[in-house]
Structure formats: structure tokens, C-alpha cells
């Protein structure tokens, strides 16, 4: 009986620690832009820029002397899931396509345009 309790506790702990995959829309407003680079399983975090804009910051490319992420280290996500909008300092692992910048549709100073293909909480 004691073994059953220990096994149950271990299963609950394992399931609670399981990383959460979040569904990403396969379509975005920037599908028509050329893909410059493909990113796969990159660590980063979400940063709320303002009420309407949340970007992904790539951790490994941060300048330790800088207090803020540079635009080349940030991604403006065209298809960020609704449940992640407005989040700040939420650690994630993501994959996607870096798109060529189109001045009429995106704000370059906020980051490079990105179409997510996969995202999960870390």
C-alpha cells in the first residue's frame, strides 16, 4: 500500500512538471514574406513591450553589458497564441521561420518578424 502511495505521488509530480506545448496557428499575416532563416528549439522568453506587443527575446544572444535586448535579438511574432500575449519574462522554447522585413506591416525596431511553428513553456 505504501508503494502505491509513493508511485501515485511520483506520477503527480511528474505530470505537474511536464512542459506544456501550446497550439500555434499554421497561418499568419506574414506567410507571403520570404523566409530568411529557420529556427529550431531555441531558448528564449516573452517580453511585454506595450499593451499590444509581446516579443520573444533570445537568451543566448543577449549582450551582458546591455540592459535591454537589441532588435536583432528580439522577434515580433505574427501568430503568437492568445494565451501568451501580454506575458512578461515567461521562459519558452520555440521554433519558427524568420521572415524578411516588410516596412508596411511590421515594426522593425521591436524585432525581426517571426512565424512560429512550435512553442512550449519551459
Amino acid at each position: 500500500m505504501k508503494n502505491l502511495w509513493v508511485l501515485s505521488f511520483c506520477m503527480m509530480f511528474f505530470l505537474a512538471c511536464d512542459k506544456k506545448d501550446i497550439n500555434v496557428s499554421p497561418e499568419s499575416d506574414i506567410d507571403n514574406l520570404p523566409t530568411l532563416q529557420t529556427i529550431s528549439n531555441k531558448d528564449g522568453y516573452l517580453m511585454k513591450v506595450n499593451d499590444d506587443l509581446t516579443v520573444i527575446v533570445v537568451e543566448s544572444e543577449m549582450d551582458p553589458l546591455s540592459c535591454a535586448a537589441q532588435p536583432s535579438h528580439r522577434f515580433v511574432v505574427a501568430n503568437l497564441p492568445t494565451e501568451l500575449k501580454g506575458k512578461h519574462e515567461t521562459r519558452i522554447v520555440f521554433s519558427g521561420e524568420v521572415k524578411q522585413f516588410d516596412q508596411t506591416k511590421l515594426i522593425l525596431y521591436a524585432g525581426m518578424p517571426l512565424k512560429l511553428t512550435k512553442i512550449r513553456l519551459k
Side-chain angles (χ1 to χ4, degrees):
M1 185 69 166
K2 185 178 179 181
N3 290 341
L4 184 60
W5 280 105
V6 171
L7 181 61
S8 297
F9 177 76
C10 291
M11 285 296 292
M12 286 188 289
F13 182 77
F14 176 73
L15 293 174
C17 294
D18 192 25
K19 295 173 175 55
K20 181 183 175 194
D21 284 332
I22 298 172
N23 291 332
V24 177
S25 172
E27 297 178 2
S28 74
D29 295 339
I30 60 172
D31 285 341
N32 60 329
L33 298 177
T35 300
L36 298 176
Q37 177 185 6
T38 301
I39 295 174
S40 182
N41 296 320
K42 192 82 159 168
D43 288 338
Y45 65 90
L46 297 171
M47 181 176 76
K48 182 179 177 182
V49 176
N50 60 36
D51 289 337
D52 300 323
L53 182 61
T54 302
V55 298
I56 293 177
V57 179
V58 177
E59 294 177 325
S60 62
E61 296 174 10
M62 287 289 293
D63 180 2
L65 301 176
S66 173
C67 294
Q70 300 300 314
S72 60
H73 305 144
R74 297 185 304 226
F75 296 99
V76 177
V77 183
N79 58 338
L80 187 66
T82 307
E83 65 242 42
L84 296 178
K85 291 182 180 177
K87 298 283 185 182
H88 191 67
E89 296 185 9
T90 302
R91 299 174 67 78
I92 58 167
V93 176
F94 69 99
S95 299
E97 300 172 359
V98 178
K99 297 290 191 170
Q100 184 173 343
F101 178 69
D102 182 354
Q103 293 181 0
T104 61
K105 297 192 184 266
L106 296 172
I107 307 167
L108 182 59
Y109 72 86
M112 297 296 294
L114 177 77
K115 177 186 175 185
L116 279 178
T117 55
K118 184 175 152 186
I119 189 168
R120 68 178 163 87
L121 299 178
K122 198 170 179 186

